[in-house]
Amino acid sequence: MLTRRAFLVRSLSLTGAVALLAACGTPPAASPTAAPKATDAPKPAATTAPAATAAPAATQAPAAAKPSGPQVTVTFWSGVDPPVKKFLEEDLLPRFQKENPDIKVEATLLLWMEFFQKVSVAFTGGIGPEVVGSGYGQLGSMIGNKWMQPIDDALKTWTDLADFDGPALDSGKKDGKRYAVLVPGVRPFNYRKDYYKEAGYDPEKSPKDWGELRTYSKKLVKLDRDKVTRGGMEIPLKNGEQTFASFAFCNGLKNLWDEAGMPLFDSPEARETADYILKLMYEDNVVIPSDQQGVTGTAFQNGLAAQGYLQSQLYAAVEKASPGVLGVGLPPASTKQGSKQTSLVLGTFYGLGSKVKNMDAAAKLLKFLCSPDSLWTHYAQAGFQVPRKSLKDRFAKDKPYNAMVNKSMEDMQGWPIFPTFLEARQVIVTHLEAIYLKQRTPQEGFKLAAEDTKKLIK
Amino acid sequence: MAIAAKRARRGAEPGRLRRWLGPDASGYLLIAPAYVTYVIFILAPVFAVGVLSLTSYRLVGTWEWIGLDNFTSMWNDHNYISALKNTAVYAFFTLMPSLSLGLVLAAVLTRQIRGLSFFRQSYYLPNVVSTVAAAVTWLWIFDPGNGFLNRILGAVGLPRPDWLYDPNTALPALIVVGVWKMLGYNMVIYLAALQGIPREIYEAARVDGAKEREAFWHITIPLVQPTTFFLLIMGFINGFQVFDQIYVMTSGGPANATTTLVHQIYLNAFFFHHLGYASAESVFLMIVVAFVTLANFRYGQQGKLMEVS
């Protein structure tokens, strides 16, 4: 008969032994110099993907050739939306493999909501990818954590660098080094042509300044006993920093943060912008509450707002739901003298992870992803802009509103790249919500947000 | 020859490990897989979180032991305080209606009414629906401009709140969803408990002149008390761990009006990489849950005694 005491002693001994065994069995924390093991990488998506479907204007993929030597493996991780996942798996990556039989791509394509946490864990565990597709705001954190390496050397071998738009190569710059190439997604001003017609406005003309925007919004709003059922203008109450920035850039605010992550929004320009937005919300009652990152989509996307700042990657969804209704214009300037019509541009960055086993192969994949054909596929399948001068005309002719999208790219602004971006974003988002809900005045809200942001740097 | 003798002796005698484990060796072997899994996947991570909570670990870079600093900074973090308050409110106000309604529904559904199995399944269904799918449906129901709920309220001339976009109504709206989801589970457990109450007790009460309502108060409620305590504790733990519903429906907004403890842990750990701080938040949550579980042992036992008496 086992006594209680003996049972406890033996249980504890067994637990200790198992814990020790588990500890010994755990691989040691990866040192910064540890090279990622190809065998540890997740199951490749590309190798199991169906045959390539031809992208519009894509060059015919060459017939698969046999590897001339031993195959090298390149790990590629990217955050994706479903359309991007589809064309990467079914078109671009199989095409790359056919063109480069010596290189095996192990692709892990993750939805944005899970990408950053997984890629962070992978890098920390020493199995970070060699080629990375990161979100705009995530790049700063990844560079700050030394998970990315400069691509300046890789770019030296690209003979067509001059063909890229400046922002494509410069947006991913930090401390004078280029870390990634941007596939841009612009946010110009968007409106519904059918709603404009209904309100008696010319469907080819959008408001030029904030004064006109107020007039348009008041006429476009639909109310049911003071309750907005269709917004005249979409200003997301939640996760609203992008729309706020789109307004504020046109009121002379250079950016929400500087290159070091210090706040620039505790300024007269930002406060004036917030005051203007509050007028639209409360005096004019033209705004329907919405969430920029809500799972059910934005109000404009769902036809519940007549105007808004929509990312171009969502144009296809709007067009599919209501063909021919999408209008694109330049962001309305503020009524201040000399204010501009600047568009917010974000997008996906392609770059190289800090540990690359075979630089030639990784650089080849990076170059392929940024080639004219690949970038055209990014546009045709997922609505990104094509940051290639040689494709500008073709892009402009492809859709009625693309000429205006091209024009919006002439005066554009992205976020600065800094390590604390994700936290700084969360700070401004929360304080903007409080300002929009009138829990705080713009003055108080931005001041508190600036203090919280500065603490992050410390 | 000597080797053969040694081998024969070894075959006859039990091995050292076997001798140490005694006659229960095979028992230990049988429980070993579950035990090992428990140690590796539960005990070791819990221990690791406890250790990390005393450090400034941030996933990358250097870290140092900082003692209880993470725990003290939690109380100066207004996001954490909001989360604590919201979580407590959510847990309490989800639990109470779902418990009481669950018992009432179970009592009604023990009767022989038409469509009994349909009602039982209908009430249980929300519990098996994916939280994310349910959350998306509720997002449309709560849509301020064109949502189902506001259309109904508008039709009868009542005020139409902004629900998930108003800090005053966002948490109550989430509580409604929480109750909707938990109700069916509570009802099923209560159904099982009610079926365990001998009919004779009710018959005896009826003979003594007790009315149905009195029987419910004086027989049903006391006799399902152990079940009530079980559901109370489980509901409380679930309420304190709410995350997916918050993540999908409000992301903790507006203005932190719906952020919860686990939502804060998620943000700090996986978004901001403050692993040490997030671990401290987890340890605090674990202490709360452990405290409540101990309460379960104590008061659950009292419920059992009441049943016996």
Side-chain angles (χ1 to χ4, degrees):
Chain A
M1 185 72 183
L2 194 64
T3 63
R4 194 174 162 181
R5 187 187 166 86
F7 175 76
L8 278 173
V9 169
R10 288 176 195 184
S11 299
L12 284 174
S13 311
L14 199 64
T15 312
V18 169
L20 198 66
L21 206 66
C24 293
T26 310
S31 72
T33 52
K37 283 183 188 173
T39 49
D40 290 338
K43 195 178 172 185
T47 49
T48 53
T53 52
T59 49
Q60 197 63 38
K66 282 183 182 173
S68 54
Q71 220 180 19
V72 292
T73 301
V74 174
T75 52
F76 168 54
W77 285 36
S78 184
V80 290
D81 290 320
V84 179
K85 183 176 166 70
K86 189 171 158 47
F87 76 70
L88 279 172
E89 279 182 352
E90 296 180 4
D91 181 4
L92 289 191
L93 294 177
R95 210 181 330 152
F96 176 78
Q97 300 238 216
K98 277 182 188 167
E99 288 173 13
N100 300 277
D102 295 343
I103 303 170
K104 183 183 168 197
V105 180
E106 291 193 341
T108 303
L109 308 173
L110 300 160
L111 293 178
W112 284 116
M113 68 191 302
E114 58 180 349
F115 170 72
F116 189 63
Q117 52 174 291
K118 290 194 174 166
V119 83
S120 306
V121 173
F123 274 116
T124 312
I127 53 163
E130 293 163 285
V131 181
V132 189
S134 94
Y136 200 107
Q138 295 159 355
L139 185 70
S141 182
M142 294 176 75
I143 295 171
N145 288 331
K146 297 188 170 54
W147 293 337
M148 304 290 282
Q149 63 172 293
I151 56 168
D152 296 294
D153 286 343
L155 290 180
K156 278 178 193 161
T157 63
W158 296 16
T159 51
D160 58 351
L161 272 186
D163 189 39
F164 282 94
D165 282 340
L169 294 175
D170 294 339
S171 301
K173 252 185 176 177
K174 183 75 185 163
D175 301 330
K177 292 173 187 163
R178 285 195 178 101
Y179 282 87
V181 177
L182 177 69
V183 185
V186 70
R187 283 128 175 94
F189 182 78
N190 299 107
Y191 60 94
R192 291 275 301 229
K193 288 182 176 178
D194 50 342
Y195 297 166
Y196 268 36
K197 278 183 201 162
E198 187 187 290
Y201 287 124
D202 179 354
E204 302 307 322
K205 276 186 185 169
S206 60
K208 292 281 171 289
D209 60 37
W210 286 6
E212 274 188 32
L213 181 64
R214 274 187 85 173
T215 312
Y216 271 57
S217 302
K218 281 190 227 172
K219 207 161 180 190
L220 287 161
V221 70
K222 274 200 169 175
L223 300 168
D224 174 13
R225 281 175 295 147
D226 285 347
K227 188 83 184 165
V228 179
T229 54
R230 188 184 80 193
M233 174 71 199
E234 175 165 30
I235 299 168
L237 175 72
K238 289 189 199 165
N239 293 302
E241 87 287 2
Q242 291 182 14
T243 297
F244 177 79
S246 294
F247 273 107
F249 290 168
C250 297
N251 192 41
L253 186 71
K254 202 178 157 205
N255 213 318
L256 297 185
W257 309 273
D258 68 12
E259 291 293 324
M262 291 297 277
L264 298 176
F265 48 73
D266 189 16
S267 65
E269 290 85 2
R271 287 192 286 273
E272 285 161 14
T273 305
D275 284 336
Y276 175 76
I277 288 174
L278 288 172
K279 274 181 193 160
L280 288 174
M281 285 178 163
Y282 293 98
E283 274 182 33
D284 301 344
N285 192 24
V286 296
V287 177
I288 193 166
S290 67
D291 183 351
Q292 177 77 40
Q293 296 189 351
V295 288
T296 51
T298 64
F300 185 86
Q301 201 182 334
N302 291 312
L304 298 176
Q307 307 173 111
Y309 290 103
L310 190 71
Q311 60 186 47
S312 56
Q313 295 97 308
L314 294 173
Y315 288 2
V318 176
E319 284 281 279
K320 196 177 170 188
S322 316
V325 301
L326 183 67
V328 178
L330 293 178
S334 77
T335 38
K336 265 179 167 178
Q337 195 77 31
S339 56
K340 294 160 79 180
Q341 293 186 287
T342 309
S343 298
L344 176 67
V345 174
L346 303 175
T348 299
F349 278 116
Y350 286 126
L352 297 175
S354 52
K355 307 292 165 204
V356 175
K357 276 203 297 189
N358 190 311
M359 183 53 84
D360 283 349
K364 236 179 199 176
L365 177 59
L366 179 65
K367 190 177 179 183
F368 173 83
L369 289 168
C370 303
S371 68
D373 281 347
S374 296
L375 291 174
W376 187 265
T377 306
H378 277 74
Y379 156 67
Q381 303 292 323
F384 287 93
Q385 268 63 73
V386 189
R388 290 277 196 166
K389 289 171 192 156
S390 57
L391 292 169
K392 283 278 171 212
D393 286 344
R394 190 173 156 210
F395 175 77
K397 285 174 193 157
D398 194 58
K399 292 264 168 65
Y401 47 74
N402 276 357
M404 190 55 81
V405 173
N406 266 347
K407 203 172 174 192
S408 73
M409 292 286 285
E410 289 167 13
D411 180 6
M412 52 143 277
Q413 179 67 58
W415 302 135
I417 304 293
F418 58 96
T420 53
F421 174 84
L422 294 172
E423 291 137 294
R425 181 200 163 269
Q426 189 67 30
V427 167
I428 190 66
V429 160
T430 307
H431 285 282
L432 266 181
E433 287 174 5
I435 291 169
Y436 289 170
L437 290 164
K438 286 188 163 178
Q439 291 176 339
R440 291 189 195 107
T441 64
Q443 183 136 13
E444 291 164 351
F446 288 129
K447 193 175 173 214
L448 282 173
E451 284 167 12
D452 287 353
T453 308
K454 284 173 193 165
K455 279 182 206 160
L456 300 172
I457 313 284
K458 284 177 192 166
Chain B
M1 187 68 187
I3 293 169
K6 202 174 178 180
R7 272 189 191 154
R9 220 173 26 247
R10 199 182 291 164
E13 288 173 17
R16 191 182 293 174
L17 181 67
R18 203 180 162 83
R19 256 185 288 134
W20 184 74
L21 288 174
D24 304 307
S26 52
Y28 283 124
L29 271 177
L30 286 171
I31 64 164
Y35 207 50
V36 169
T37 309
Y38 176 75
V39 168
I40 293 174
F41 293 107
I42 308 281
L43 225 50
V46 167
F47 179 72
V49 165
V51 172
L52 283 179
S53 70
L54 305 173
T55 69
S56 62
Y57 183 56
R58 289 200 56 169
L59 202 62
V60 286
T62 56
W63 58 270
E64 55 190 38
W65 295 101
I66 54 168
L68 297 173
D69 280 5
N70 283 328
F71 292 91
T72 47
S73 7
M74 266 161 42
W75 305 108
N76 299 321
D77 178 351
H78 53 87
N79 291 338
Y80 187 74
I81 300 298
S82 298
L84 193 60
K85 199 180 75 187
N86 294 337
T87 309
V89 170
Y90 178 89
F92 182 80
F93 285 101
T94 308
L95 193 54
M96 292 308 149
S98 66
L99 272 183
S100 46
L101 281 174
L103 179 57
V104 171
L105 275 178
V108 171
L109 294 180
T110 45
R111 296 169 179 209
Q112 292 305 312
I113 55 169
R114 190 176 286 183
L116 188 68
S117 60
F118 167 77
F119 286 117
R120 284 182 179 179
Q121 283 170 31
S122 304
Y123 286 119
Y124 189 65
L125 205 60
N127 195 249
V128 290
V129 171
S130 135
T131 306
V132 176
V136 171
T137 309
W138 278 100
L139 278 173
W140 284 116
I141 291 172
F142 284 128
D143 186 75
N146 299 275
F148 176 70
L149 191 56
N150 272 1
R151 277 176 188 251
I152 291 176
L153 292 175
V156 294
L158 287 170
R160 290 161 292 175
D162 283 342
W163 297 116
L164 300 169
Y165 295 96
D166 180 342
N168 299 314
T169 51
L171 194 56
L174 290 173
I175 288 170
V176 168
V177 181
V179 170
W180 172 80
K181 219 163 153 48
M182 276 179 77
L183 188 61
Y185 174 77
N186 291 350
M187 182 200 74
V188 165
I189 303 289
Y190 270 131
L191 268 176
L194 289 178
Q195 280 159 10
I197 300 175
R199 294 287 97 193
E200 296 81 12
I201 301 178
Y202 289 104
E203 281 160 19
R206 209 173 301 132
V207 169
D208 287 345
K211 289 177 185 159
E212 206 161 326
R213 209 174 59 184
E214 287 168 331
F216 183 75
W217 279 108
H218 299 292
I219 298 172
T220 309
I221 291 181
L223 289 186
V224 296
Q225 206 167 338
T227 307
T228 303
F229 277 115
F230 166 75
L231 289 175
L232 190 76
I233 302 312
M234 292 310 290
F236 191 79
I237 292 171
N238 285 335
F240 259 76
Q241 291 180 340
V242 64
F243 171 71
D244 39 7
Q245 186 191 329
I246 306 291
Y247 184 64
V248 177
M249 292 183 73
T250 63
S251 306
N256 274 338
T258 60
T259 188
T260 58
L261 291 179
V262 180
H263 182 247
Q264 283 297 314
I265 292 170
Y266 166 79
L267 283 180
N268 281 314
F270 298 110
F271 237 73
F272 309 148
H273 296 155
H274 299 170
L275 268 291
Y277 186 66
S279 299
E281 290 179 325
S282 305
V283 167
F284 178 75
L285 179 62
M286 192 175 72
I287 290 168
V288 172
V289 170
F291 179 77
V292 173
T293 310
L294 286 175
N296 179 32
F297 277 112
R298 181 179 164 82
Y299 294 107
Q301 190 61 29
Q302 277 188 5
K304 268 187 188 168
L305 290 173
M306 196 173 287
E307 187 184 14
V308 172
S309 65

